[in-house]
Amino acid sequence: MDEKFTSLKNLLIKLSSDPKFIHNKWFIEWHLNIVEQISLELCDIYKDADRDIVLGLVWMHDYAKVIDFDNEHNPDTIAKGASVLEEIGFDKTFIDKLMNYIEIFESKMSNDLSTAPIEVKIVSSADAASHMVGPFFPLHWYENSNLSVEELMQRNRAKLAKDWDRKIVLPEVKKAFQARHDFLNEMFGGLPNKFF
């Protein structure tokens, strides 16, 4: 399985480096690698989690975004991930389960992910937490410099709220990232009533 994951990672590194992909300058180092690290740390807490499924979710949860940014939520775009996994040599049972879990992962706005399988909870929580690490939010400002400061702050605050309220479903992650969340919320306009 290690060779297959190496092939999968190498493919995502190559695809994510394409200058046509808006996040090509930072996506692997400042997103997927961090999602992987947080996810594996969570697997040490949730020992019953299937690490292979977790790693598959880490590296495939944004596959559709990487290959077709404007149509990342289109079922046909998402389904292309199964073909890639098959070409790499993952078995059908693994692919079917992973694609089902990606579908659950993507339903975050209509379904409560706290009832999802542990592997989805881990990667969803890790994905959202990774946005609070490193330059994720400042890079959004960089990539969308045509927007006003107010629009950028509003978008970032909405993204932070979605991550916190819909995607982070593990209590350990909420506890570990509470201070980061509060700082970013303030940075995006959620100022306290009093500073002293």
Side-chain angles (χ1 to χ4, degrees):
M1 193 68 101
D2 288 345
E3 290 175 13
K4 292 174 190 163
F5 279 116
T6 299
S7 296
L8 178 59
K9 287 181 184 185
N10 288 338
L11 174 65
L12 264 293
I13 290 167
K14 179 182 176 189
L15 293 172
S16 297
S17 300
D18 185 333
K20 294 177 194 161
F21 178 50
I22 189 171
H23 306 320
N24 70 83
K25 295 178 182 175
W26 59 269
F27 194 69
I28 298 296
E29 180 179 0
W30 293 107
H31 182 55
L32 292 183
N33 286 342
I34 294 169
V35 176
E36 181 180 60
Q37 181 179 343
I38 295 169
S39 294
L40 292 176
E41 288 178 25
L42 288 167
C43 283
D44 290 339
I45 296 168
Y46 294 93
K47 297 186 185 306
D48 291 341
D50 181 331
R51 283 180 178 256
D52 288 340
I53 290 291
V54 167
L55 284 172
L57 281 168
V58 167
W59 287 92
M60 291 300 290
H61 78 277
D62 279 332
Y63 179 77
K65 177 184 290 188
V66 172
I67 64 166
D68 190 352
F69 190 84
D70 294 328
N71 295 297
E72 67 176 295
H73 300 294
N74 182 308
D76 292 336
T77 306
I78 294 168
K80 290 179 182 176
S83 300
V84 165
L85 292 167
E86 190 176 330
E87 287 172 21
I88 290 171
F90 288 95
D91 69 59
K92 183 168 175 22
T93 303
F94 178 84
I95 294 169
D96 290 347
K97 185 174 185 178
L98 183 61
M99 295 309 292
N100 177 254
Y101 281 16
I102 288 171
E103 189 176 317
I104 295 168
F105 182 99
E106 289 298 330
S107 73
K108 62 194 164 284
M109 297 310 290
S110 57
N111 291 308
D112 178 3
L113 294 187
S114 67
T115 63
I118 188 59
E119 295 82 4
V120 174
K121 292 181 195 181
I122 286 171
V123 179
S124 176
S125 296
D127 180 45
S130 77
H131 300 157
M132 292 183 260
V133 175
F136 184 88
F137 281 107
L139 287 167
H140 179 260
W141 291 48
Y142 167 76
E143 291 175 349
N144 295 280
S145 60
N146 59 313
L147 299 176
S148 70
V149 170
E150 291 77 16
E151 288 173 304
L152 288 164
M153 288 175 66
Q154 181 184 21
R155 279 184 173 197
N156 279 349
R157 200 154 160 210
K159 171 78 169 154
L160 181 67
K162 177 179 78 172
D163 284 347
W164 193 256
D165 297 336
R166 305 296 304 179
K167 291 178 70 177
I168 297 179
V169 293
L170 295 176
E172 297 84 359
V173 179
K174 289 251 182 173
K175 183 177 178 185
F177 283 81
Q178 182 73 58
R180 290 172 188 260
H181 168 271
D182 295 347
F183 173 77
L184 288 168
N185 189 55
E186 183 178 303
M187 197 168 114
F188 305 147
L191 299 176
N193 291 331
K194 290 180 71 177
F195 289 98
F196 294 97

